[in-house]
Amino acid sequence: MRNVLLPFDGSAPAKRAIEYLVGVAAEYPNILVHVINVQSEPKLYGNYVSANMLEQLHGGALDHAREVIVEAGAMLREAGVRHEEHAVVGEVIGELAHAVKSLGCDTVIMGTRGMSNLGNLFMGSVATRVVHEVPVPVLLVK
């Protein structure tokens, strides 16, 4: 575990994943954590949206992603864990899988909200889909 992807959405489970990672980071002195927040593409309704408006919506989503990962970066910085922050707009699962490959990550550590099996059956969950889509081990923190 030297190059870790840490999806972060600001939720309590995501914060617990950071706490877990900080706890084990001492065992991996060369660890690099890639904190990522993926915002979904803006939902558009209507027949016409100008290019300028699309650009503003995309920029707003990126700004929001950057705001969300500030807290994660602060937690890792305070613990002395080397990290990089990535703000992305797109389809969440696809962007996480792409980040694993493009950043050369060997592990994904992420929080899970612990939905019931029935909820996962009907809606799926981000954590479950990540486990199936990425080619590296995924550690889920409750």
Side-chain angles (χ1 to χ4, degrees), residues 9 17-18 29 47 57 63 69-70 83 85 118 124 132-133 142:
D9 63 2
I18 290 178
N47 295 329
L57 290 170
D63 289 345
I69 58 178
V70 164
H83 68 283
E85 299 173 5
L118 183 61
H132 292 287
E133 295 292 327
K142 276 183 109 175

Side-chain angles (χ1 to χ4, degrees), residues 74-140:
M75 292 172 74
L76 292 169
R77 218 174 353 272
E78 183 178 313
V81 177
R82 191 168 58 111
H83 68 283
E84 295 178 3
E85 299 173 5
H86 307 275
V88 182
V89 175
E91 190 274 318
V92 176
I93 305 305
E95 292 296 337
L96 294 178
H98 175 73
V100 164
K101 292 176 186 171
S102 67
L103 299 171
C105 295
D106 56 27
T107 308
V108 175
I109 297 178
M110 64 187 294
T112 178
R113 295 189 182 183
M115 289 180 61
S116 69
N117 288 335
L118 183 61
N120 284 338
L121 178 65
F122 289 119
M123 297 185 296
S125 83
V126 172
T128 300
R129 290 185 58 207
V130 168
V131 167
H132 292 287
E133 295 292 327
V134 301
V136 299
V138 177
L139 191 150
L140 302 176

Side-chain angles (χ1 to χ4, degrees), residues 11-33:
S11 66
K15 291 174 187 173
R16 285 193 298 273
I18 290 178
E19 291 166 358
Y20 173 83
L21 183 57
V22 165
V24 300
E27 298 175 32
Y28 302 93
N30 295 325
I31 195 168
L32 173 60
V33 178

